Amino acid sequence: MTPAAPKKKTASKRARRISRLSAAEIEAMFARLKALNPKPTTELEFTTPYELLVAVTLSAQATDVGVNKATRKLFPVANTPQAIAKLGVEGLKPYISTIGLYNTKAANVVAMAQQLIALHGGEVPREREALEALPGVGRKTANVVLNTAFGEPTMAVDTHIFRVANRTGLAPGKTVRAVEDGLVKVVPPDYLLDAHHWLILHGRYVCKARRPDCPHCVIRDICRYPDKTPGEPEPVAT
């Protein structure tokens, strides 16, 4: 019996190496994203650094739309550490019960409020170490608050930014921290403050996980992603 011929090895999509964008391509990428949206910001609704901190904490594994629906009811009632601490865990839960992991988040938000009162006079600290020491606050949340509330050029990498950075060749990396460090190095200084917002919005509405909208992507000609969604590309402004 003749042995079967060995199957040809085919490279999986994940195994493909994507080349990095050049400095000129990165400059063009952000110039185009800026032209589309000159003043990007978070889609979470807030009016104070504390409201932003709470909203970002609630947004883990939840949508901004869902968080906004909850905070529109919560913030008119309690939008300071003192008010949240007074509300307590059981008092907070009904306001955020539509958000995933609300039991854990309620405990964290109340403990966070108590710690802000005890250690920071009820104010949101501007130092990374102090932010990350708060209950329920990790590096990504701290980066969002530092960037959006205090104007620091930080890079908060979520699933959207992780995907865009790897797909496009902007800052490929195997971990969130590797991508964050890569982005801080390659994003031109003039764009770094707003880069987080441009990238997250691009990932949320254009470079989507299952089917990226490549025909309507303004950086399609720059992007290194090998499996672009077919369709006639949109004219690219230069």
Side-chain angles (χ1 to χ4, degrees):
M1 185 175 181
T2 304
K7 293 182 179 180
K8 293 182 179 180
K9 293 182 178 180
T10 57
S12 68
K13 293 179 181 178
R14 290 187 178 181
R16 297 177 187 174
R17 284 178 173 266
I18 294 179
S19 61
R20 293 175 179 269
L21 300 182
S22 68
E25 289 171 325
I26 293 172
E27 176 74 30
M29 173 182 183
F30 284 101
R32 294 177 190 178
L33 293 175
K34 181 177 182 178
L36 282 178
N37 188 358
K39 295 182 179 179
T41 189
T42 179
E43 293 187 320
L44 291 171
E45 297 172 0
F46 73 99
T47 58
T48 66
Y50 179 67
E51 286 186 356
L52 176 64
L53 177 60
V54 171
V56 178
T57 302
L58 295 176
S59 71
Q61 300 183 46
T63 65
D64 288 359
V65 172
V67 172
N68 289 338
K69 287 181 179 178
T71 56
R72 285 171 194 160
K73 298 178 181 178
L74 172 64
F75 287 159
V77 175
N79 70 337
T80 65
Q82 293 81 1
I84 290 290
K86 184 177 180 180
L87 201 59
V89 174
E90 295 306 315
L92 176 59
K93 282 183 183 180
Y95 291 99
I96 65 171
S97 60
T98 55
I99 301 173
L101 306 175
Y102 74 92
N103 286 309
T104 299
K105 290 176 181 179
N108 282 335
V109 169
V110 171
M112 178 201 302
Q114 293 168 340
Q115 189 163 315
L116 287 173
I117 295 168
L119 301 181
H120 304 287
E123 299 294 326
V124 177
R126 297 186 63 150
E127 299 77 29
R128 175 184 298 284
E129 294 77 11
L131 283 168
E132 291 186 21
L134 295 170
V137 177
R139 185 175 180 86
K140 185 185 77 172
T141 297
N143 277 337
V144 173
V145 173
L146 289 170
N147 177 272
T148 306
F150 300 126
E152 299 289 338
T154 57
M155 185 63 64
V157 177
D158 69 348
T159 56
H160 297 300
I161 294 179
F162 186 82
R163 179 172 66 253
V164 171
N166 276 286
R167 268 186 185 169
T168 60
L170 173 61
K174 293 183 179 180
T175 66
V176 167
R177 184 58 189 271
V179 169
E180 178 187 333
D181 291 344
L183 286 169
V184 171
K185 288 180 182 178
V186 302
V187 175
D190 288 347
Y191 298 111
L192 190 55
L193 180 62
D194 293 321
H196 157 75
H197 298 299
W198 284 317
L199 294 176
I200 194 172
L201 293 171
H202 189 70
R204 183 174 291 165
Y205 296 112
V206 181
C207 195
K208 294 173 281 191
R210 293 190 178 182
R211 186 177 173 81
D213 191 8
C214 300
H216 295 93
C217 176
V218 295
I219 59 169
R220 175 179 175 144
D221 58 316
I222 297 172
C223 175
R224 298 288 197 269
Y225 186 52
D227 300 303
K228 293 184 176 67
T229 306
E232 289 300 318
E234 292 288 303
V236 175
T238 57

